[in-house]
Amino acid sequence: MTQRKHHQSFQHSKRHTQSPIEVNIGDRFPLTIKKLGVEGQGIGYFKHKVCFVPGAIPNDVIVAEVTKVHKKYLEATIHRLKKPSADRVIPKDDYAMEAGGFEFENLAYPAQLRYKRQMVIDSLAKFKPLGYRHYEVRPTSASEYQYEYRNKAQFQIRNQNGKVVAGLYKSGTHEVVDMETCAVQMPGIMKIMRALVDQIEQLNIPLFDETNHSGILKTIVIRESMATHEFQVTFVTNSPKLLKKHQLITFIQSKFPEVVSIMQNINPGDTPLIWGNETLKLAGKDHITESLMGLDFLLSARSFLQLNPYQTETLYEEAAKAMELGPDDTLVDAYAGIGTIGLSLASRVKQVVGMETIPEAVADANQNAQLNDITNARYEVGSAEELLPKWRAEGLHFDALVVDPPRTGLDAKLIEQILEEKPAKFAYVSCNMASLARNLARLVPTYHVDYIQPVDMMPQTPRCEAVVKLSLQN
């Protein structure tokens, strides 16, 4: 071997035996952001190591400061923004980068829509359902309103540094970010919320303390109906006792006559869940009324309804379009909630049968059917493995199926029932692209994915909904 070749070989081997570059907390380095992660955080690469930077967006050039070092990746903050991305905009809320629910307020809306479509594609690539590279993933359907669209606020209320604060948790902590304004909430909700915060401070109502699980008031939930502009206020408490309850009710009724329902939900102890099992009426009505697709829906305190009423009809119409419903069809409405999807489509089919495991939701769904004089829809309490065989034994033939599961996706036993029953028309409405892709990996050998339509229900956040049109393989 010549001396030159020997020297090159030595240098090559030296490079490959060197230990990886050590990175420590507090280190700073230039970083170009290449893409966005599933939580909306910026992703760049430093010495071949993935680096996650909340608040950074693609094509930002930053100086990153390391906050956590993991074996396979780094976490960092923006120490300095050297060159902003062309898609970077000024957030409307000062705390947009602190609390969840505003992660994209610094990202131009067209770029948000592109990201949400890409999130579907990336999830498919991770879970690899059969033929996923050839799925038609359509451009994201934009929301007409990008701000002031949220019809419900669930704000934690705490005493911090001697001051009553109400808002959402700071990312990764249990410190509440006090939200005096909130650009994505309907303005009437924030007006009532801030007045309640002041009144609670004046009345000196004991607030929940997470350190010793003492105190009473934990969370304030306010919902507004877009159709009627009625409001419902729910106080979530650590105990059945709510001190100064009557003063609070009198204040709300005198200052905000539009609040027609005042409720209390009891959720004892330190739990990540917002809601407890017991709900009491303090004043007014049990429900407020919302209108969708020409129908009225009664909403109790714990009823699930999409947070963006301006875009909800778009989502339901996409589900209807995916199923190509006909007047002789029997539609199964799984994960029915209060019946919003199934009842909205009842006039297009022979009958709707719905299932839900929460008894209160089923009662609401059947009440909503009566409220709208819908006689061809019924809802039952139970799971798919109980109800689908029962309905089949009753002689029902399932022509169409719509599912709108929680973020965890379809229950494994429901998937088994779907593959056994094989409804010809099938629409999957998903709020979690990862669980959607994972479920499609089970469904696709039997079903063909005709297309996936992302729908932006929550502008200024990384959250996305999608409607999948599935048809039986020939």
Side-chain angles (χ1 to χ4, degrees), residues 19 33 67-68 157-158 247 254 261 318 331-332 341 348 358 469 472:
S19 58
I33 303 301
T67 55
K68 289 184 182 175
I157 185 158
R158 298 288 185 270
Q247 292 98 313
S254 62
S261 174
E318 286 294 345
L331 170 64
V332 174
I341 295 182
R348 309 181 194 193
I358 301 167
K469 177 177 169 55
L472 282 169

Side-chain angles (χ1 to χ4, degrees), residues 14-318:
K14 186 177 171 186
R15 273 199 304 272
H16 281 268
T17 55
Q18 281 178 337
S19 58
I21 301 290
E22 190 177 330
V23 182
N24 298 301
I25 292 172
D27 285 358
R28 294 173 186 163
F29 46 78
L31 191 71
T32 300
I33 303 301
K34 300 293 187 185
K35 61 180 183 176
L36 291 167
V38 292
E39 301 297 329
Q41 68 277 64
I43 294 177
Y45 299 89
F46 177 67
K47 306 292 184 186
H48 305 294
K49 205 166 194 178
V50 175
C51 185
F52 294 99
V53 188
I57 64 174
N59 301 316
D60 273 347
V61 180
I62 67 170
V63 174
E65 181 170 330
V66 177
T67 55
K68 289 184 182 175
V69 177
H70 304 269
K71 189 174 180 181
K72 293 189 175 178
Y73 65 95
L74 306 172
E75 295 180 55
T77 57
I78 302 173
H79 172 69
R80 183 161 58 88
L81 185 60
K82 289 177 71 175
K83 184 184 174 189
S85 165
D87 288 323
R88 181 173 278 276
V89 295
I90 297 170
K92 287 181 182 277
D93 292 302
D94 293 339
Y95 37 75
M97 297 305 111
E98 291 184 60
F102 314 88
E103 298 91 336
F104 281 176
E105 272 199 23
N106 64 350
L107 184 63
Y109 192 57
Q112 294 184 32
L113 297 176
R114 291 195 300 272
Y115 163 80
K116 294 183 183 195
R117 178 177 183 268
Q118 189 61 45
M119 188 161 58
V120 177
I121 293 167
D122 291 347
S123 295
L124 293 172
K126 181 177 180 182
F127 292 97
K128 298 179 172 52
L130 191 67
Y132 72 94
R133 288 188 180 89
H134 305 293
Y135 293 177
E136 180 190 352
V137 182
R138 295 179 172 179
T140 307
S141 175
S143 176
E144 182 183 357
Y145 294 91
Q146 286 103 58
Y147 295 97
E148 298 185 351
Y149 64 84
R150 289 184 70 133
N151 59 10
K152 185 168 75 167
Q154 296 183 158
F155 281 9
Q156 310 301 322
I157 185 158
R158 298 288 185 270
N159 197 316
Q160 287 179 182
N161 303 317
K163 180 176 181 267
V164 175
V165 300
L168 302 174
Y169 288 127
K170 193 172 184 177
S171 297
T173 75
H174 269 221
E175 178 189 342
V176 173
V177 178
D178 193 27
M179 295 180 173
E180 294 191 7
T181 62
C182 184
V184 295
Q185 292 286 355
M186 290 180 171
I189 288 176
M190 291 307 296
K191 183 181 168 188
I192 296 169
M193 183 72 75
R194 295 317 300 180
L196 284 175
V197 170
D198 292 342
Q199 186 66 12
I200 287 161
E201 189 160 51
Q202 286 179 39
L203 292 172
N204 201 22
I205 294 172
L207 304 180
F208 185 64
D209 184 338
E210 292 182 46
T211 54
N212 55 20
H213 305 168
S214 65
I216 295 175
L217 189 53
K218 297 171 107 174
T219 309
I220 300 175
V221 183
I222 304 177
R223 181 168 7 216
E224 178 180 358
S225 161
M226 186 182 72
T228 62
H229 299 292
E230 295 176 327
F231 290 81
Q232 181 180 65
V233 172
T234 305
F235 298 104
V236 181
T237 59
N238 186 38
S239 70
K241 190 173 183 180
L242 175 55
L243 291 180
K244 313 283 180 72
K245 175 171 65 180
H246 296 296
Q247 292 98 313
L248 210 48
I249 292 168
T250 302
F251 169 77
I252 294 170
Q253 289 178 329
S254 62
K255 191 168 176 66
F256 299 107
E258 62 271 34
V259 176
V260 300
S261 174
I262 305 173
M263 310 294 287
Q264 179 185 355
N265 177 264
I266 301 157
N267 185 19
D270 189 11
T271 165
L273 302 175
I274 293 282
W275 298 98
N277 292 325
E278 188 181 1
T279 304
L280 311 170
K281 181 172 72 174
L282 301 183
K285 302 190 290 187
D286 291 325
H287 304 82
I288 60 173
T289 305
E290 183 60 282
S291 296
L292 284 170
M293 311 277 281
L295 303 177
D296 291 334
F297 291 93
L298 298 177
L299 302 176
S300 55
R302 292 182 63 192
S303 296
F304 171 76
L305 186 72
Q306 294 287 348
L307 288 170
N308 184 346
Y310 303 102
Q311 190 74 332
T312 300
E313 291 190 359
T314 301
L315 186 72
Y316 292 176
E317 280 296 348
E318 286 294 345

